[in-house]
Amino acid sequence: MSSFVIGFPRIGEKRELKFALESYWSGKSDFSEVEKVAKELKQRHWGYQRDAGVDVISVNDFSLYDNMLDTAIMLGAIPARFRDLKDENLYFSMARGNKDAVAMEMTKWFNTNYHYIVPELTTNDSYKLNATKIINEYKEAKEFGLEKIKINIIGPVTFLALSKRVDRGDTFELLGKILPIYEELLSELSKLDDKVIVQIDEPYFVKDLEPKELSLIKPTYDKLATLADNVKVIVATYFEHAREAVKVLVNTPIIGIGLDFVHGRDNLEILDIVAKSGKKLFAGVVDGRNIWINNIEKSVELLNDIAKTVDKENVCVGSSCSLLHSPFTLEYEEKLSSEIKSWLSFAKEKLQEIVIIEKLFRGKDLNDAQKALLEANKEANETRKTAEIIHDKAVQARINGDIKLERDDKFEDRIKEQHARFNYPTLPTTTIGSFPQTPEVRKARRDFKKGEISQEEYENAMKAYIDDCIAFQEEADIDILVHGEPERNDMVEYFGEQLKGYAFTQNGWVQSYGSRCVKPPIIYGDVSRPKPMTVDWMTYAQSKTNRVMKGMLTGPVTILNWSFVRDDIERSEVSKQIALAIADEVNDLQNAGIKMIQVDEAAFKEGYPLRTSKIPTYEAWAVRDFKICVAPAVADTQIHTHMCYSEFNEIIKTIEAMDADVISIETARSGNELLKIFAKSGYKQEVGPGVYDIHSPRVPSVEEIVEQIEKLLEVLPKEQLWINPDCGLKTRKWEEVKPSLKNMVEAVKIVRAK
Ligand code: GLN
Ligand code: ZN
């Protein structure tokens, strides 16, 4: 075994799987059409890997929806509400729900933007093997002509760690029920061939494992690795170092360990242990979750370093994690400048890098195409060091110069001036920013982008929408207004498009969940703001009302976490650059008379590192950069922030340190439970806990909202509370939004009167 990839993306370079699935779901085609597309994609992707020269190729990295869901099906972990269903109806109902049963929960896969289906387990259920998908895929790959195959499966420890028990108990208690199914699976797989290689993914091993969790590893892998002589087990870890788990794994009969040397450099410290064990090392040296070209020479150096400790024969070369988290290929990018393009490498291009690195490492000859690629790689890495479009002297001077790190006044003083200025009532009402994105609004934006309508026509359309939003909010008697965000397709893209240092792809789609893909913008160079980004829209909106109009920005940490970020400088540096660009906008807004400004940090929590020891560093720069971006705000400018979750127990002090005057959060679904931490920790700033859930089309009644507000008042004093929905309203319809907000205001009036 010499070169490998942990896994390959499956949605297709033209998102073929997405379109096939959505057509089937909407009843426009049969399931056989989905199967046909799936088969074509699998073969095409195997072909790409084989043709690039990758040595061992995966099966079962493909999925029609999600690998965790596939694993649940494989284990027979079917929640009771779906048990009458079969085959594709069962599968897609679990993923998406149906008219009788709600979908299973979905959540983020470690610190990526991929979302998996959360398996639901109970202690009473008995589990039963269903190996059909895996066996079929293996046979398909054989028929296709693949020779060296590895079968990817998600490991039992990770599976249990990411599942939930319906009775909220400890999922690891179910290992005794789940492990026998894995054993049975491996026995089945042993029948497939003379020698069967299984890659068992255990990304959970890169977390800080409790002693109890660590103690599960040895018995599990002692069993799985000895089930059949011809089944060889590799345990793959990724996204961080797995030092603690490796120390245990080396004492089990597995044949190899996969370690990430891109995002888990600390893995270098346990090489001697791996070396002593004589196991194969699957070294991830090409970043599977970013889009930059590899520095091939450096990777070879790194491997040579590794080979000083680990026997070279035992070192295999591959991707740091599944390429699922990268876009597909650069081939369809026609608009990117050739210079920027030369610095990028998507999944298909990464295959070439892996193969070249492996050959150089082993002293094998490159073919002519590979020689040319290597030259191009060297040159691109050189130009990236000095290119003017990346390195902006003015930005660097500013970053290294005197930066205003925080506001001049303390919260206690600011808030008095703000109350004097705005004079808002007790329990002030507001919304989170966006109003329904109607088909007309989307069309106008699209037409303008394509050049089909003029700037003036576009602006008029947006202004008309803003007028409507204002008229409605005044009619509903909301205290603090918003303009509705019609000009924004996406809260990060909108700012990225106006910032220097940002690039956009045409086809850089990455699977987010199921058939959904996102196309994150790319931060390739030093970031700055050539001109104001929101001031004209905001001043227009303010000119249309006597009420306070709240400005609306996206914060630096969220912009960072939802973009592909350059890897030639620290993330915290990039974040600081963005913070300064946003600070300019804050300043321009307040000078233009917009004195209440919301800076959304919807993805603040998403950026948290997987290892506890790294959290303080992240928090330090994330808080620093939020504070930098609002530092220009004078005492009577009120800064709001918004975060899309309600679980603040562990980070409440950090949130407080961000020093926003008002924070709005999502709480409707949890009553007042999750708000309690704000009271308990003595949080002093004002808080707007969502009073109704915006994820559902349901219109909440006045009574219900009154009740919710009263619950909130049990936790925090009325002086500290704002009243707003959970999140932005862009995905809702006006028919839902109008009565909901009217009921919200009605409810507040009833509570105020009491
Ligand atoms: N201001 C944004 C909106 O209202 C916030 C979105 C978000 O929190 N995800 O849409
Ligand atoms: Zn939100």
Side-chain angles (χ1 to χ4, degrees):
M1 263 177 273
S2 41
S3 57
F4 69 95
V5 288
I6 294 282
F8 202 70
R10 56 239 178 178
I11 204 84
E13 61 203 63
K14 293 184 174 155
R15 290 179 292 157
E16 292 89 336
L17 182 60
K18 170 194 176 68
F19 298 117
L21 285 169
E22 289 174 1
S23 159
Y24 161 64
W25 291 335
S26 67
K28 287 188 201 120
S29 57
D30 296 335
F31 184 61
S32 59
E33 191 55 35
V34 173
E35 286 180 302
K36 197 180 121 221
V37 170
K39 185 164 185 165
E40 281 166 12
L41 288 176
K42 277 180 266 184
Q43 297 194 348
R44 192 197 291 162
H45 302 163
W46 288 329
Y48 285 159
Q49 294 173 77
R50 182 185 57 192
D51 297 346
V54 175
D55 190 35
V56 208
I57 297 175
S58 310
V59 305
N60 201 41
D61 53 346
F62 188 84
S63 177
L64 288 178
Y65 200 95
D66 167 49
N67 294 118
M68 275 294 276
L69 176 60
D70 296 341
T71 311
I73 297 268
M74 184 267 280
L75 297 166
I78 317 288
R81 64 187 183 283
F82 300 111
R83 283 192 199 145
D84 295 339
L85 301 167
K86 276 218 282 291
D87 303 329
E88 64 270 19
N89 286 332
L90 168 67
Y91 186 78
F92 292 120
S93 295
M94 285 167 76
R96 310 176 65 236
N98 60 33
K99 65 178 196 328
D100 305 313
V102 291
M104 292 167 72
E105 198 190 309
M106 192 169 64
T107 195
K108 268 163 67 79
W109 177 249
F110 297 89
N111 58 356
T112 71
N113 287 326
Y114 177 76
H115 301 74
Y116 66 91
I117 300 283
V118 183
E120 295 169 26
L121 310 175
T122 71
T123 43
N124 306 329
D125 290 339
S126 55
Y127 297 96
K128 189 167 165 283
L129 178 68
N130 174 353
T132 318
K133 172 180 186 282
I134 304 179
I135 290 172
N136 286 349
E137 258 180 63
Y138 191 87
K139 290 184 177 157
E140 265 177 85
K142 275 286 191 187
E143 259 166 52
F144 177 74
L146 288 190
E147 278 162 20
K148 285 201 211 159
I149 300 175
K150 63 178 165 76
I151 302 173
N152 290 16
I153 50 181
I154 294 176
V157 180
T158 297
F159 178 81
L160 289 173
L162 303 189
S163 297
K164 62 175 182 190
R165 239 169 80 174
V166 179
D167 62 3
R168 292 175 182 241
D170 179 359
T171 49
F172 288 120
E173 284 169 10
L174 300 177
L175 185 63
K177 288 189 164 205
I178 293 292
L179 193 54
I181 314 291
Y182 274 89
E183 293 172 36
E184 222 183 309
L185 170 72
L186 295 196
S187 306
E188 283 300 309
L189 299 182
S190 76
K191 298 175 194 154
L192 287 171
D193 240 313
D194 301 342
K195 181 175 165 193
V196 177
I197 302 170
V198 185
Q199 170 189 309
I200 304 188
D201 284 18
E202 291 280 18
Y204 189 68
F205 289 177
V206 308
K207 301 270 290 176
D208 300 309
L209 300 179
E210 309 267 338
K212 207 185 92 207
E213 297 169 327
L214 266 176
S215 74
L216 302 175
I217 299 178
K218 183 148 167 54
T220 300
Y221 284 94
D222 277 346
K223 272 243 169 65
L224 293 182
T226 46
L227 266 178
D229 287 343
N230 66 332
V231 175
K232 308 289 174 201
V233 174
I234 302 160
V235 173
T237 68
Y238 35 82
F239 302 146
E240 249 298 351
H241 76 81
R243 281 175 6 204
E244 303 84 346
V246 169
K247 289 180 190 155
V248 182
L249 284 168
V250 288
N251 295 318
T252 68
I254 62 172
I255 63 148
I257 304 178
L259 297 178
D260 179 341
F261 290 99
V262 180
H263 298 276
R265 278 268 165 169
D266 296 342
N267 277 326
L268 290 170
E269 287 165 31
I270 35 159
L271 290 178
D272 52 336
I273 297 175
V274 178
K276 257 189 242 134
S277 75
K279 299 200 188 303
K280 291 203 176 293
L281 171 64
F282 290 79
V285 295
V286 169
D287 196 345
R289 50 185 298 188
N290 212 333
I291 42 135
W292 306 104
I293 48 165
N294 188 270
N295 189 320
I296 292 183
E297 286 182 303
K298 278 214 175 126
S299 295
V300 176
E301 255 170 53
L302 171 66
L303 288 164
N304 284 330
D305 269 349
I306 292 175
K308 284 182 194 149
T309 313
V310 181
D311 186 358
K312 193 164 185 164
E313 283 308 302
N314 277 340
V315 180
C316 315
V317 180
S319 62
S320 69
C321 62
S322 170
L323 303 180
L324 172 70
H325 310 292
S326 304
F328 226 93
T329 170
L330 282 163
E331 277 158 38
Y332 304 104
E333 300 304 329
E334 287 154 358
K335 293 190 182 157
L336 281 176
S337 78
S338 57
E339 192 173 30
I340 294 181
K341 219 166 144 176
S342 77
W343 300 324
L344 301 178
S345 170
F346 295 174
K348 211 177 150 192
E349 291 79 28
K350 287 176 196 286
L351 299 175
Q352 307 278 1
E353 294 180 339
I354 290 169
V355 172
I356 295 173
I357 293 169
E358 196 270 336
K359 280 191 159 181
L360 291 172
F361 172 55
R362 263 189 251 281
K364 296 187 215 158
D365 288 337
L366 301 183
N367 64 30
D368 288 344
Q370 289 167 334
K371 279 184 197 149
L373 282 172
L374 177 62
E375 280 319 304
N377 181 273
K378 281 185 196 163
E379 197 188 320
N381 276 304
E382 268 321 300
T383 61
R384 220 183 141 198
K385 282 187 201 145
T386 52
E388 264 174 46
I389 60 164
I390 297 182
H391 306 276
D392 184 327
K393 294 219 173 66
V395 174
Q396 278 154 21
R398 189 170 177 201
I399 287 281
N400 298 320
D402 268 343
I403 294 175
K404 190 168 192 306
L405 290 169
E406 58 189 353
R407 300 174 70 177
D408 290 331
D409 307 274
K410 284 221 259 321
F411 172 73
E412 289 76 4
D413 302 328
R414 296 189 317 243
I415 198 73
K416 279 184 212 133
E417 288 199 37
Q418 291 163 17
H419 278 272
R421 174 184 190 104
F422 299 114
N423 197 23
Y424 47 73
T426 312
L427 301 176
T429 51
T430 190
T431 61
I432 306 303
S434 58
F435 272 106
Q437 295 245 330
T438 58
E440 298 76 47
V441 166
R442 289 177 196 277
K443 183 172 181 324
R445 262 199 327 255
R446 219 169 29 233
D447 289 351
F448 177 54
K449 261 203 168 151
K450 282 198 233 145
E452 284 167 14
I453 59 172
S454 69
Q455 171 102 16
E456 198 187 340
E457 283 170 300
Y458 169 69
E459 280 178 13
N460 288 340
M462 295 300 113
K463 285 179 178 170
Y465 180 92
I466 293 173
D467 294 348
D468 291 346
C469 287
I470 292 174
F472 163 69
Q473 293 173 87
E474 287 183 340
E475 181 203 319
D477 202 14
I478 293 175
D479 301 310
I480 307 297
L481 309 198
V482 297
H483 78 297
E485 306 182 20
E487 78 287 12
R488 304 181 193 181
N489 171 36
D490 172 274
M491 64 190 286
V492 170
E493 190 178 64
Y494 177 76
F495 291 95
E497 280 175 343
Q498 302 187 71
L499 290 169
K500 216 177 129 206
Y502 253 100
F504 294 83
T505 64
Q506 289 163 280
N507 200 48
W509 297 102
V510 181
Q511 190 174 17
S512 170
Y513 65 91
S515 68
R516 293 291 197 101
C517 300
V518 292
K519 195 153 61 72
I522 297 173
I523 305 176
Y524 66 84
D526 290 333
V527 174
S528 60
R529 185 198 70 147
K531 59 181 195 343
M533 305 181 282
T534 64
V535 175
D536 286 348
W537 295 118
M538 294 318 309
T539 46
Y540 171 78
Q542 182 63 82
S543 76
K544 292 293 193 157
T545 179
N546 293 324
R547 298 186 183 219
V548 179
M549 178 59 61
K550 185 165 63 165
M552 200 54 64
L553 303 173
T554 303
V557 182
T558 298
I559 292 186
L560 196 76
N561 284 336
W562 283 341
S563 304
F564 279 123
V565 182
R566 57 193 285 202
D567 62 352
D568 57 339
I569 61 174
E570 294 289 328
R571 255 178 116 73
S572 58
E573 275 303 286
V574 183
S575 164
K576 199 178 191 182
Q577 294 180 357
I578 303 170
L580 286 168
I582 305 289
D584 293 344
E585 189 73 14
V586 167
N587 197 36
D588 285 345
L589 281 171
Q590 80 178 348
N591 290 339
I594 305 299
K595 297 285 287 179
M596 206 182 267
I597 303 168
Q598 180 174 313
V599 182
D600 289 326
E601 282 292 18
F604 188 86
K605 224 175 141 188
E606 295 193 18
Y608 269 72
L610 296 170
R611 290 281 185 171
T612 317
S613 62
K614 295 190 176 162
I615 289 177
T617 310
Y618 170 76
E619 288 181 332
W621 62 255
V623 171
R624 175 199 70 192
D625 294 340
F626 185 84
K627 287 175 78 177
I628 288 177
C629 89
V630 299
V634 297
D636 68 352
T637 294
Q638 186 168 70
I639 298 293
H640 290 224
T641 188
H642 165 71
M643 295 191 183
C644 291
Y645 24 76
S646 49
E647 197 27 277
F648 288 102
N649 288 355
E650 275 160 27
I651 61 169
I652 190 77
K653 284 290 159 204
T654 309
I655 301 300
E656 186 171 47
M658 289 168 71
D659 197 28
D661 300 307
V662 185
I663 182 173
S664 59
I665 58 174
E666 178 179 317
T667 37
R669 277 178 291 187
S670 63
N672 64 8
E673 254 332 286
L674 294 162
L675 189 64
K676 288 182 179 156
I677 186 66
F678 284 81
K680 204 174 133 208
S681 72
Y683 188 87
K684 55 183 189 292
Q685 294 101 324
E686 301 189 353
V687 187
V691 294
Y692 78 88
D693 177 17
I694 58 93
H695 301 95
S696 133
R698 209 176 136 263
V699 174
S701 68
V702 176
E703 297 70 40
E704 207 177 311
I705 302 179
V706 167
E707 217 175 282
Q708 175 69 4
I709 297 174
E710 282 172 345
K711 272 200 215 139
L712 299 175
L713 283 166
E714 288 168 17
V715 180
L716 288 180
K718 62 180 187 303
E719 292 71 27
Q720 207 177 350
L721 283 176
W722 283 63
I723 303 299
N724 46 258
D726 265 352
C727 191
L729 303 166
K730 76 192 245 191
T731 55
R732 296 265 64 88
K733 298 205 166 69
W734 276 112
E735 305 91 89
E736 300 147 12
V737 164
K738 286 189 173 177
S740 300
L741 288 176
K742 283 187 175 164
N743 288 354
M744 181 181 92
V745 175
E746 212 46 54
V748 172
K749 288 182 178 164
I750 293 171
V751 177
R752 278 184 197 145
K754 287 190 194 167

